[in-house]
Amino acid sequence: DGGITQSPKYLFRKEGQNVTLSCEQNLNHDAMYWYRQDPGQGLRLIYYSQIVNDFQKGDIAEGYSVSREKKESFPLTVTSAQKNPTAFYLCASSPRQYTGELFFGEGSRLTVL
Amino acid sequence: QQPVQSPQAVILREGEDAVINCSSSKALYSVHWYRQKHGEAPVFLMILLKGGEQKGHDKISASFNEKKQQSSLYLTASQLSYSGTYFCGTESQSGGGADGLTFGKGTHLIIQP
């Protein structure tokens, strides 16, 4: 079945450690996105990529980094520079040149102790 | 800037109707609506493009007032399965390409038997 796979689903880390969240899609979509969700805040865009080897900062990119070496993969690294990294992270993809329907993964819940 | 959703929360009895509003300060190209159940990924409901068209499926429909940069989601004869948090996501006309959506903070909808 086609879809988006995020891993891990739950992750616990100590302060100061970098963490990488995986996002893989087999939908053959060009565009991929990372959103952060906090209670009462909705979804906020971290980074997005419209094509392989290219990505753009979203609204809250500070403390995060991404790569897009393959069309199907868009990993997100939460660095130690991110001041409040505990959150629910959602990866999404879209098939169209202009933002069409977003297909979301199941999310990764990161807790920094 | 995030679009503003209202109300923040609404509690209904099964069979009652609800309206959720989404308002933006930017000129919009499209408005998207998603529903999220607790702990799950958001699920796409519909897209409305500029032109003021109204869309719907089953008993959920939506409208988009391009002049006012407002969209409304209408849920008629609500069912228990409609419970969840509803998000509008907007795409501004200033964006080019698949820049992703800017989401509102969400409206919590609780349907009681």
Side-chain angles (χ1 to χ4, degrees):
Chain A
D1 289 334
I4 299 181
T5 302
Q6 288 187 240
S7 63
K9 192 168 184 178
Y10 299 96
L11 187 60
F12 297 88
R13 280 293 183 268
K14 293 182 180 180
E15 269 190 42
Q17 290 182 329
N18 289 357
V19 169
T20 297
L21 307 180
S22 171
C23 177
E24 302 278 333
Q25 56 103 354
N26 59 4
L27 300 168
N28 199 33
H29 288 174
D30 287 316
M32 296 187 73
Y33 311 85
W34 274 105
Y35 283 92
R36 170 180 171 143
Q37 188 172 27
D38 297 282
Q41 295 298 317
L43 290 81
R44 292 180 291 170
L45 184 62
I46 305 173
Y47 268 98
Y48 63 99
S49 169
Q50 299 178 7
I51 197 169
V52 175
N53 292 324
D54 186 49
F55 48 83
Q56 306 296 329
K57 292 182 179 180
D59 299 319
I60 55 166
E62 185 176 351
Y64 300 97
S65 66
V66 294
S67 63
R68 187 85 187 276
E69 297 177 0
K70 299 185 295 182
K71 186 176 183 178
E72 58 269 25
S73 179
F74 192 40
L76 174 74
T77 297
V78 184
T79 75
S80 56
Q82 168 51 231
K83 296 179 181 178
N84 186 17
T86 295
F88 188 51
Y89 291 88
L90 285 160
C91 179
S93 69
S94 175
R96 292 168 49 177
Q97 180 182 2
Y98 290 92
T99 304
E101 173 185 349
L102 292 182
F103 292 76
F104 284 92
E106 293 296 310
S108 293
R109 188 168 297 279
L110 171 64
T111 302
V112 175
L113 306 172
Chain B
Q1 191 172 4
Q2 287 181 284
V4 177
Q5 286 187 236
S6 63
Q8 288 185 319
V10 59
I11 301 174
L12 297 175
R13 293 280 183 194
E14 199 172 5
E16 293 181 336
D17 300 341
V19 180
I20 300 171
N21 300 302
C22 175
S23 179
S24 175
S25 59
K26 292 184 175 183
L28 298 177
Y29 173 77
S30 67
V31 179
H32 303 221
W33 286 97
Y34 289 80
R35 176 172 61 211
Q36 185 180 31
K37 305 270 185 182
H38 182 70
E40 298 180 5
V43 173
F44 171 79
L45 295 176
M46 63 189 76
I47 296 175
L48 299 104
L49 303 178
K50 65 176 182 178
E53 66 178 284
Q54 185 157 346
K55 280 196 170 183
H57 63 85
D58 198 9
K59 295 176 181 176
I60 300 175
S61 62
S63 63
F64 177 23
N65 186 322
E66 181 186 349
K67 290 182 181 178
K68 293 185 177 180
Q69 310 308 324
Q70 293 175 347
S71 178
S72 295
L73 184 71
Y74 307 93
L75 300 99
T76 58
S78 58
Q79 306 168 15
L80 293 175
S81 62
Y82 287 1
S83 291
T85 302
Y86 289 78
F87 293 98
C88 68
T90 59
E91 184 175 26
S92 69
Q93 290 181 333
S94 61
D99 294 341
L101 301 177
T102 302
F103 285 92
K105 294 186 177 182
T107 296
H108 300 285
L109 177 64
I110 298 173
I111 310 295
Q112 297 177 333

